[in-house]
Amino acid sequence: MKSENRIRLNAQNISDNEYFFGHKACAGCAGSLAVRLALKVLGERTFTALPAGCMSAVGFIYPQMAFAINAMISTFPGTASLLSGMKAGLKKLGKEDVNIVGFAGDGGTADIGIQALSGAIDRRDRVIYICYDNEAYMNTGIQKSGLTPFGTKTTTTPAGKNIRGCLTHKKNMFEIVAAHDIEYAATASVGYPEDFMNKVQKAAEASTTSYIHVLAPCPTGWGTPTETAVEIAKDAVDCGLWFLAEYEEGEFKLNRVPKEFSSVKNYLFQQSRFKHLTEDDIIEIERFRDKKWDRMKSKWLNEK
Amino acid sequence: MIKPTLRNYKRPVYITDYPTGPNCESGHLVDKNSGWRTFRPTINLDLCKGCLRCYLLCPDGVIFKSNSKVDVDYDFCKGCGICAHECKFKAITMTKEDKE
Protein backbone atom coordinates (compact mmCIF):
# COMPACT_ATOMS: atom_id res chain seq x y z
CA MET A 1 0.00 0.00 0.00
CA LYS A 2 1.21 3.47 -0.89
CA SER A 3 0.15 4.87 2.46
CA GLU A 4 3.16 7.18 2.93
CA ASN A 5 2.51 9.53 0.02
CA ARG A 6 -1.26 9.51 0.22
CA ILE A 7 -2.90 12.95 0.32
CA ARG A 8 -5.80 13.30 2.76
CA LEU A 9 -8.92 14.04 0.74
CA ASN A 10 -11.30 16.81 1.74
CA ALA A 11 -13.86 19.16 0.20
CA GLN A 12 -11.11 21.44 -1.11
CA ASN A 13 -9.07 18.88 -3.02
CA ILE A 14 -11.58 16.32 -4.34
CA SER A 15 -12.47 16.29 -8.02
CA ASP A 16 -15.01 18.83 -9.30
CA ASN A 17 -16.45 16.20 -11.65
CA GLU A 18 -19.88 14.85 -10.81
CA TYR A 19 -20.23 11.21 -11.84
CA PHE A 20 -23.63 10.66 -10.21
CA PHE A 21 -25.88 13.59 -11.00
CA GLY A 22 -29.47 14.18 -12.02
CA HIS A 23 -30.61 10.95 -10.37
CA LYS A 24 -34.11 10.47 -8.96
CA ALA A 25 -33.25 9.54 -5.36
CA CYS A 26 -35.54 10.97 -2.68
CA ALA A 27 -34.56 14.44 -1.48
CA GLY A 28 -31.95 14.15 1.25
CA CYS A 29 -30.90 10.56 0.39
CA ALA A 30 -27.60 9.70 2.05
CA GLY A 31 -27.13 6.59 -0.11
CA SER A 32 -26.85 8.78 -3.19
CA LEU A 33 -24.38 11.00 -1.31
CA ALA A 34 -22.23 7.94 -0.55
CA VAL A 35 -22.22 6.91 -4.23
CA ARG A 36 -21.49 10.47 -5.37
CA LEU A 37 -18.53 10.91 -2.99
CA ALA A 38 -17.08 7.47 -3.71
CA LEU A 39 -17.16 8.08 -7.48
CA LYS A 40 -15.56 11.50 -7.03
CA VAL A 41 -12.66 9.74 -5.30
CA LEU A 42 -12.41 6.89 -7.82
CA GLY A 43 -12.56 9.11 -10.91
CA GLU A 44 -13.36 8.76 -14.57
CA ARG A 45 -11.65 5.43 -15.21
CA THR A 46 -14.16 3.55 -13.08
CA PHE A 47 -16.61 0.84 -13.99
CA THR A 48 -19.52 0.23 -11.68
CA ALA A 49 -22.21 -2.36 -11.10
CA LEU A 50 -25.31 -1.96 -8.99
CA PRO A 51 -27.89 -4.61 -8.13
CA ALA A 52 -31.63 -4.09 -7.98
CA GLY A 53 -31.93 -1.55 -5.21
CA CYS A 54 -32.38 2.15 -4.61
CA MET A 55 -29.29 3.33 -6.45
CA SER A 56 -30.02 1.40 -9.64
CA ALA A 57 -33.70 2.37 -9.47
CA VAL A 58 -32.83 6.06 -9.25
CA GLY A 59 -29.85 6.08 -11.58
CA PHE A 60 -31.12 4.20 -14.61
CA ILE A 61 -34.61 5.48 -15.41
CA TYR A 62 -34.97 5.09 -19.16
CA PRO A 63 -33.93 7.12 -21.09
CA GLN A 64 -31.95 8.69 -18.28
CA MET A 65 -28.49 7.56 -17.19
CA ALA A 66 -27.38 9.50 -14.14
CA PHE A 67 -23.90 7.97 -14.10
CA ALA A 68 -21.22 9.75 -16.12
CA ILE A 69 -19.14 6.56 -16.16
CA ASN A 70 -19.76 3.03 -17.39
CA ALA A 71 -22.42 1.57 -15.12
CA MET A 72 -24.68 -1.45 -15.29
CA ILE A 73 -27.31 -3.21 -13.23
CA SER A 74 -26.50 -6.65 -11.86
CA THR A 75 -28.82 -9.37 -10.67
CA PHE A 76 -29.84 -8.88 -7.04
CA PRO A 77 -27.61 -11.65 -5.64
CA GLY A 78 -24.83 -11.16 -8.19
CA THR A 79 -23.20 -7.77 -7.57
CA ALA A 80 -19.83 -9.21 -6.61
CA SER A 81 -19.84 -11.95 -9.26
CA LEU A 82 -20.63 -9.34 -11.92
CA LEU A 83 -17.70 -7.27 -10.62
CA SER A 84 -15.48 -10.34 -11.02
CA GLY A 85 -16.77 -10.77 -14.57
CA MET A 86 -16.14 -7.11 -15.37
CA LYS A 87 -12.63 -7.49 -13.97
CA ALA A 88 -11.98 -10.49 -16.22
CA GLY A 89 -13.44 -8.73 -19.27
CA LEU A 90 -11.43 -5.58 -18.71
CA LYS A 91 -8.26 -7.62 -18.25
CA LYS A 92 -8.90 -9.29 -21.61
CA LEU A 93 -9.30 -5.84 -23.17
CA GLY A 94 -5.97 -4.81 -21.65
CA LYS A 95 -7.53 -2.29 -19.27
CA GLU A 96 -5.77 -2.83 -15.97
CA ASP A 97 -5.45 0.73 -14.63
CA VAL A 98 -9.15 1.05 -13.84
CA ASN A 99 -11.30 0.87 -10.73
CA ILE A 100 -14.15 -1.60 -10.57
CA VAL A 101 -16.68 -0.81 -7.89
CA GLY A 102 -20.03 -2.20 -6.83
CA PHE A 103 -22.64 -0.36 -4.78
CA ALA A 104 -25.16 -2.61 -3.08
CA GLY A 105 -27.57 -1.88 -0.27
CA ASP A 106 -27.73 -3.67 3.04
CA GLY A 107 -30.17 -6.30 1.77
CA GLY A 108 -28.16 -6.82 -1.42
CA THR A 109 -25.04 -7.32 0.69
CA ALA A 110 -25.91 -9.01 3.97
CA ASP A 111 -28.80 -11.19 2.77
CA ILE A 112 -29.12 -11.72 -0.95
CA GLY A 113 -25.61 -11.01 -2.22
CA ILE A 114 -23.50 -12.45 0.59
CA GLN A 115 -22.60 -15.64 -1.26
CA ALA A 116 -21.32 -13.82 -4.36
CA LEU A 117 -19.42 -11.35 -2.18
CA SER A 118 -17.80 -14.20 -0.28
CA GLY A 119 -16.81 -15.80 -3.59
CA ALA A 120 -15.25 -12.62 -4.98
CA ILE A 121 -13.20 -12.08 -1.81
CA ASP A 122 -12.12 -15.72 -1.94
CA ARG A 123 -10.94 -15.30 -5.56
CA ARG A 124 -8.96 -12.21 -4.50
CA ASP A 125 -10.34 -10.26 -7.47
CA ARG A 126 -9.22 -6.64 -7.48
CA VAL A 127 -12.64 -5.04 -7.05
CA ILE A 128 -14.12 -2.61 -4.53
CA TYR A 129 -17.43 -3.52 -2.93
CA ILE A 130 -19.28 -0.71 -1.19
CA CYS A 131 -22.33 -1.51 0.92
CA TYR A 132 -24.50 1.55 1.57
CA ASP A 133 -26.39 0.54 4.66
CA ASN A 134 -29.78 2.20 5.13
CA GLU A 135 -30.87 -0.61 7.44
CA ALA A 136 -33.80 -2.08 5.46
CA TYR A 137 -35.01 -2.84 1.93
CA MET A 138 -35.97 0.78 1.24
CA ASN A 139 -36.53 0.58 -2.50
CA THR A 140 -39.30 -2.00 -2.21
CA GLY A 141 -41.04 -0.28 0.70
CA ILE A 142 -39.03 -0.66 3.89
CA GLN A 143 -38.83 -4.37 4.67
CA LYS A 144 -36.48 -5.75 7.33
CA SER A 145 -33.04 -6.88 6.18
CA GLY A 146 -30.22 -8.65 8.01
CA LEU A 147 -28.80 -5.23 8.85
CA THR A 148 -31.96 -3.77 10.38
CA PRO A 149 -31.25 -2.91 14.02
CA PHE A 150 -33.18 -4.12 17.05
CA GLY A 151 -36.51 -2.39 17.62
CA THR A 152 -36.86 -0.91 14.14
CA LYS A 153 -40.37 -0.58 12.79
CA THR A 154 -40.48 -1.77 9.19
CA THR A 155 -43.36 -3.07 7.09
CA THR A 156 -42.35 -6.66 7.88
CA THR A 157 -41.51 -5.99 11.54
CA PRO A 158 -44.41 -3.78 12.61
CA ALA A 159 -44.62 -2.28 16.06
CA GLY A 160 -47.71 -3.44 17.91
CA LYS A 161 -48.83 -4.51 21.34
CA ASN A 162 -47.04 -7.86 21.35
CA ILE A 163 -43.88 -7.16 19.38
CA ARG A 164 -42.14 -3.83 19.16
CA GLY A 165 -40.38 -3.87 15.80
CA CYS A 166 -37.37 -5.89 14.66
CA LEU A 167 -36.44 -8.67 17.10
CA THR A 168 -32.85 -9.18 15.96
CA HIS A 169 -29.75 -7.04 16.10
CA LYS A 170 -27.68 -5.98 13.09
CA LYS A 171 -25.74 -8.77 11.41
CA ASN A 172 -22.03 -8.25 11.94
CA MET A 173 -21.21 -7.78 8.27
CA PHE A 174 -17.87 -6.03 8.75
CA GLU A 175 -16.42 -8.89 10.77
CA ILE A 176 -17.95 -11.49 8.45
CA VAL A 177 -16.07 -9.86 5.57
CA ALA A 178 -12.88 -9.48 7.63
CA ALA A 179 -13.05 -13.19 8.52
CA HIS A 180 -12.27 -13.91 4.85
CA ASP A 181 -8.86 -12.35 5.55
CA ILE A 182 -9.70 -9.67 3.00
CA GLU A 183 -6.94 -7.21 2.10
CA TYR A 184 -8.85 -4.11 3.18
CA ALA A 185 -12.24 -3.64 4.85
CA ALA A 186 -13.65 -0.60 6.60
CA THR A 187 -16.79 0.82 8.11
CA ALA A 188 -17.74 4.43 7.52
CA SER A 189 -20.60 6.86 7.88
CA VAL A 190 -21.73 9.72 5.67
CA GLY A 191 -21.71 11.75 8.89
CA TYR A 192 -17.91 11.60 8.64
CA PRO A 193 -17.51 12.22 4.90
CA GLU A 194 -13.74 12.87 4.89
CA ASP A 195 -13.12 9.60 6.72
CA PHE A 196 -15.32 7.79 4.15
CA MET A 197 -13.58 9.35 1.14
CA ASN A 198 -10.15 8.46 2.46
CA LYS A 199 -11.24 4.89 3.06
CA VAL A 200 -12.46 4.71 -0.55
CA GLN A 201 -9.06 5.98 -1.67
CA LYS A 202 -7.36 3.30 0.43
CA ALA A 203 -9.67 0.63 -0.99
CA ALA A 204 -8.72 1.72 -4.53
CA GLU A 205 -5.06 1.13 -3.73
CA ALA A 206 -5.60 -2.47 -2.62
CA SER A 207 -4.24 -5.13 -4.95
CA THR A 208 -7.07 -7.58 -4.22
CA THR A 209 -10.66 -7.24 -2.98
CA SER A 210 -11.69 -4.44 -0.66
CA TYR A 211 -14.94 -3.76 1.16
CA ILE A 212 -16.44 -0.60 2.65
CA HIS A 213 -19.59 -0.57 4.72
CA VAL A 214 -21.02 2.94 4.88
CA LEU A 215 -23.99 3.92 7.04
CA ALA A 216 -26.38 5.97 4.89
CA PRO A 217 -29.59 7.21 6.55
CA CYS A 218 -32.79 7.11 4.51
CA PRO A 219 -35.21 9.95 5.35
CA THR A 220 -38.10 8.03 3.78
CA GLY A 221 -37.56 4.78 5.66
CA TRP A 222 -36.23 6.22 8.90
CA GLY A 223 -38.92 8.85 9.23
CA THR A 224 -36.64 11.85 9.51
CA PRO A 225 -36.72 15.33 7.96
CA THR A 226 -34.89 15.48 4.62
CA GLU A 227 -32.21 17.87 5.87
CA THR A 228 -30.96 15.70 8.74
CA ALA A 229 -29.46 12.61 7.05
CA VAL A 230 -25.84 13.68 7.53
CA GLU A 231 -26.41 14.82 11.12
CA ILE A 232 -28.11 11.54 12.02
CA ALA A 233 -25.32 9.51 10.42
CA LYS A 234 -22.86 11.40 12.64
CA ASP A 235 -25.09 10.91 15.68
CA ALA A 236 -25.16 7.15 15.08
CA VAL A 237 -21.37 7.07 15.43
CA ASP A 238 -21.28 9.45 18.39
CA CYS A 239 -23.87 7.48 20.38
CA GLY A 240 -21.99 4.24 19.74
CA LEU A 241 -24.62 2.40 17.69
CA TRP A 242 -22.30 2.55 14.68
CA PHE A 243 -18.52 2.54 14.64
CA LEU A 244 -15.66 3.59 12.39
CA ALA A 245 -13.13 0.81 11.98
CA GLU A 246 -10.70 -0.72 9.51
CA TYR A 247 -9.32 -4.19 8.88
CA GLU A 248 -5.96 -4.14 7.22
CA GLU A 249 -3.08 -6.62 7.03
CA GLY A 250 -4.90 -8.94 9.39
CA GLU A 251 -5.41 -6.31 12.09
CA PHE A 252 -8.54 -4.53 13.25
CA LYS A 253 -8.29 -0.83 14.03
CA LEU A 254 -10.86 1.46 15.65
CA ASN A 255 -10.68 4.89 14.01
CA ARG A 256 -12.85 6.67 16.51
CA VAL A 257 -13.36 5.79 20.15
CA PRO A 258 -15.81 8.21 21.76
CA LYS A 259 -14.72 9.04 25.33
CA GLU A 260 -18.35 9.31 26.24
CA PHE A 261 -21.28 8.22 24.11
CA SER A 262 -23.92 10.79 23.24
CA SER A 263 -27.52 9.95 24.11
CA VAL A 264 -28.90 6.83 22.42
CA LYS A 265 -32.42 7.96 23.25
CA ASN A 266 -31.89 11.25 21.49
CA TYR A 267 -30.57 9.43 18.40
CA LEU A 268 -33.47 6.96 18.34
CA PHE A 269 -36.32 9.36 19.02
CA GLN A 270 -35.38 11.66 16.15
CA GLN A 271 -36.57 8.84 13.89
CA SER A 272 -40.18 7.76 13.57
CA ARG A 273 -39.11 4.11 13.07
CA PHE A 274 -38.10 4.03 16.77
CA LYS A 275 -40.88 6.19 18.26
CA HIS A 276 -42.67 3.19 19.82
CA LEU A 277 -39.69 1.97 21.89
CA THR A 278 -40.05 1.70 25.67
CA GLU A 279 -37.41 2.48 28.32
CA ASP A 280 -36.70 -1.27 28.56
CA ASP A 281 -36.07 -1.46 24.83
CA ILE A 282 -33.59 1.39 25.06
CA ILE A 283 -31.82 -0.32 27.97
CA GLU A 284 -31.56 -3.48 25.80
CA ILE A 285 -30.12 -1.43 22.92
CA GLU A 286 -27.58 0.21 25.24
CA ARG A 287 -26.66 -3.14 26.76
CA PHE A 288 -26.01 -4.58 23.31
CA ARG A 289 -23.98 -1.49 22.37
CA ASP A 290 -21.83 -1.70 25.51
CA LYS A 291 -21.20 -5.41 25.02
CA LYS A 292 -20.08 -4.81 21.44
CA TRP A 293 -17.81 -1.91 22.41
CA ASP A 294 -16.24 -3.87 25.28
CA ARG A 295 -15.40 -6.64 22.84
CA MET A 296 -14.11 -4.27 20.15
CA LYS A 297 -11.98 -2.32 22.64
CA SER A 298 -10.48 -5.40 24.26
CA LYS A 299 -9.68 -7.11 20.95
CA TRP A 300 -8.96 -4.27 18.52
CA LEU A 301 -7.24 -1.57 20.55
CA ASN A 302 -3.52 -2.02 20.76
CA GLU A 303 -2.46 -0.23 23.92
CA LYS A 304 1.20 0.46 23.34
CA MET B 1 -15.71 19.23 -16.02
CA ILE B 2 -17.33 15.83 -16.43
CA LYS B 3 -20.99 15.68 -15.41
CA PRO B 4 -24.22 14.16 -16.77
CA THR B 5 -25.94 16.75 -18.96
CA LEU B 6 -29.40 17.42 -20.38
CA ARG B 7 -29.75 16.24 -23.99
CA ASN B 8 -32.28 16.81 -26.71
CA TYR B 9 -34.37 13.70 -26.79
CA LYS B 10 -37.18 12.69 -29.08
CA ARG B 11 -39.75 10.79 -27.01
CA PRO B 12 -40.84 7.50 -28.59
CA VAL B 13 -44.41 7.55 -29.90
CA TYR B 14 -44.90 4.00 -31.20
CA ILE B 15 -43.74 0.78 -29.55
CA THR B 16 -41.42 0.20 -32.50
CA ASP B 17 -39.61 3.44 -31.67
CA TYR B 18 -38.23 1.89 -28.50
CA PRO B 19 -34.76 0.35 -28.73
CA THR B 20 -34.34 -3.35 -28.02
CA GLY B 21 -31.23 -2.88 -25.90
CA PRO B 22 -29.21 -0.26 -24.07
CA ASN B 23 -28.81 2.74 -26.35
CA CYS B 24 -28.01 5.77 -24.22
CA GLU B 25 -24.51 6.89 -23.45
CA SER B 26 -23.31 7.62 -19.91
CA GLY B 27 -24.59 10.82 -18.33
CA HIS B 28 -27.71 10.99 -20.52
CA LEU B 29 -30.29 13.19 -18.79
CA VAL B 30 -33.58 14.33 -20.32
CA ASP B 31 -35.48 15.66 -17.27
CA LYS B 32 -34.78 18.28 -14.66
CA ASN B 33 -35.49 17.65 -10.96
CA SER B 34 -36.48 21.21 -10.07
CA GLY B 35 -40.18 20.32 -10.00
CA TRP B 36 -39.60 18.27 -6.85
CA ARG B 37 -38.57 21.31 -4.85
CA THR B 38 -40.89 23.03 -2.38
CA PHE B 39 -38.16 24.92 -0.52
CA ARG B 40 -35.40 26.79 -2.28
CA PRO B 41 -31.88 27.29 -0.87
CA THR B 42 -30.43 30.77 -1.22
CA ILE B 43 -26.78 31.41 -0.45
CA ASN B 44 -25.85 34.66 1.26
CA LEU B 45 -22.39 35.26 -0.19
CA ASP B 46 -21.58 37.84 2.51
CA LEU B 47 -21.85 35.16 5.18
CA CYS B 48 -20.34 32.34 3.08
CA LYS B 49 -16.72 31.58 4.01
CA GLY B 50 -16.16 29.18 1.12
CA CYS B 51 -15.60 26.16 3.39
CA LEU B 52 -17.35 23.96 0.77
CA ARG B 53 -19.17 21.85 3.37
CA CYS B 54 -22.45 22.26 1.46
CA TYR B 55 -20.72 21.26 -1.78
CA LEU B 56 -19.31 18.16 -0.08
CA LEU B 57 -22.60 17.05 1.48
CA CYS B 58 -25.15 17.72 -1.28
CA PRO B 59 -26.61 14.29 -2.20
CA ASP B 60 -27.44 15.57 -5.67
CA GLY B 61 -24.17 17.32 -6.39
CA VAL B 62 -25.98 20.51 -7.39
CA ILE B 63 -23.75 22.86 -5.39
CA PHE B 64 -20.66 23.81 -7.34
CA LYS B 65 -17.60 25.99 -6.71
CA SER B 66 -17.92 29.52 -8.05
CA ASN B 67 -15.44 32.38 -7.50
CA SER B 68 -13.92 30.73 -4.41
CA LYS B 69 -17.43 30.35 -2.97
CA VAL B 70 -20.42 28.26 -4.08
CA ASP B 71 -23.51 28.41 -6.27
CA VAL B 72 -26.56 26.17 -6.77
CA ASP B 73 -27.76 24.46 -9.95
CA TYR B 74 -31.49 25.05 -9.47
CA ASP B 75 -32.40 22.79 -12.40
CA PHE B 76 -31.47 19.74 -10.32
CA CYS B 77 -31.81 20.89 -6.69
CA LYS B 78 -34.57 18.94 -4.91
CA GLY B 79 -34.62 21.31 -1.93
CA CYS B 80 -33.72 18.72 0.73
CA GLY B 81 -32.09 21.41 2.87
CA ILE B 82 -28.97 19.48 3.92
CA CYS B 83 -26.82 22.42 2.73
CA ALA B 84 -28.66 24.94 4.93
CA HIS B 85 -28.78 22.55 7.89
CA GLU B 86 -25.08 21.76 7.74
CA CYS B 87 -23.80 25.30 7.02
CA LYS B 88 -21.79 26.41 10.07
CA PHE B 89 -22.12 30.08 9.16
CA LYS B 90 -25.89 30.04 8.53
CA ALA B 91 -25.20 31.41 5.08
CA ILE B 92 -27.91 29.34 3.38
CA THR B 93 -31.62 29.94 3.94
CA MET B 94 -34.51 27.82 2.71
CA THR B 95 -37.52 29.76 1.46
CA LYS B 96 -40.83 28.39 0.24
CA GLU B 97 -41.10 28.25 -3.53
CA ASP B 98 -43.81 30.49 -4.93
CA LYS B 99 -46.61 28.57 -6.56
CA GLU B 100 -47.04 29.52 -10.18
Side-chain angles (χ1 to χ4, degrees), chain B residues 57-76:
Chain B
L57 296 178
C58 176
D60 289 272
V62 300
I63 297 180
F64 56 93
K65 296 178 196 165
S66 163
N67 298 326
S68 80
K69 290 190 177 172
V70 286
D71 205 349
V72 182
D73 180 347
Y74 289 105
D75 282 351
F76 287 95

Side-chain angles (χ1 to χ4, degrees), chain A residues 56-211:
Chain A
S56 56
V58 305
F60 306 79
I61 297 177
Y62 182 82
Q64 299 227 113
M65 167 64 166
F67 289 91
I69 52 165
N70 283 289
M72 68 189 289
I73 304 178
S74 76
T75 58
F76 211 159
T79 316
S81 43
L82 181 64
L83 293 175
S84 287
M86 286 161 75
K87 168 79 198 139
L90 288 162
K91 189 178 173 190
K92 188 71 185 166
L93 292 171
K95 296 187 196 302
E96 301 268 11
D97 58 333
V98 293
N99 291 311
I100 300 161
V101 61
F103 295 98
D106 48 296
T109 302
D111 302 341
I112 300 176
I114 193 166
Q115 180 262 116
L117 172 61
S118 180
I121 303 171
D122 185 45
R123 288 187 295 273
R124 302 287 185 257
D125 288 325
R126 193 185 155 260
V127 299
I128 306 164
Y129 189 105
I130 297 181
C131 166
Y132 62 94
D133 180 5
N134 48 28
E135 303 193 323
Y137 291 86
M138 297 310 186
N139 177 45
T140 47
I142 317 160
Q143 289 88 8
K144 180 213 177 288
S145 80
L147 289 172
T148 302
F150 178 83
T152 309
K153 183 176 89 176
T154 69
T155 48
T156 49
T157 57
K161 279 180 187 159
N162 295 320
I163 293 172
R164 290 182 302 279
C166 180
L167 297 170
T168 52
H169 290 280
K170 263 174 107 77
K171 196 187 273 191
N172 205 340
M173 201 55 213
F174 171 59
E175 283 171 72
I176 292 170
V177 167
H180 289 75
D181 212 7
I182 192 170
E183 181 172 340
Y184 180 73
T187 62
S189 161
V190 295
Y192 288 90
E194 287 89 359
D195 173 80
F196 171 57
M197 293 192 298
N198 285 289
K199 283 170 174 170
V200 174
Q201 190 184 31
K202 240 170 154 175
E205 289 168 7
S207 56
T208 60
T209 321
S210 50
Y211 173 85

Side-chain angles (χ1 to χ4, degrees), chain A residues 12 15-18 21 23-25 28-29 32-33 36-37 40 44 62-67 69 226-227 231, chain B residues 1-4 9 19 24 26-31 33 36 51 55-56 58-61 65 78 80-81 85:
Chain A
Q12 309 287 336
S15 161
D16 287 351
N17 295 333
E18 297 292 350
F21 178 85
H23 54 74
K24 302 292 183 188
C29 167
S32 61
L33 174 60
R36 171 182 169 245
L37 290 179
K40 267 179 171 300
E44 191 185 357
Y62 182 82
Q64 299 227 113
M65 167 64 166
F67 289 91
I69 52 165
T226 56
E227 71 272 18
E231 186 191 8
Chain B
M1 184 173 139
I2 301 167
K3 185 174 171 178
Y9 176 71
C24 296
S26 290
H28 187 278
L29 299 181
V30 300
D31 285 333
N33 292 341
W36 294 32
C51 74
Y55 156 77
L56 183 71
C58 176
D60 289 272
K65 296 178 196 165
K78 294 169 187 159
C80 70
H85 191 72

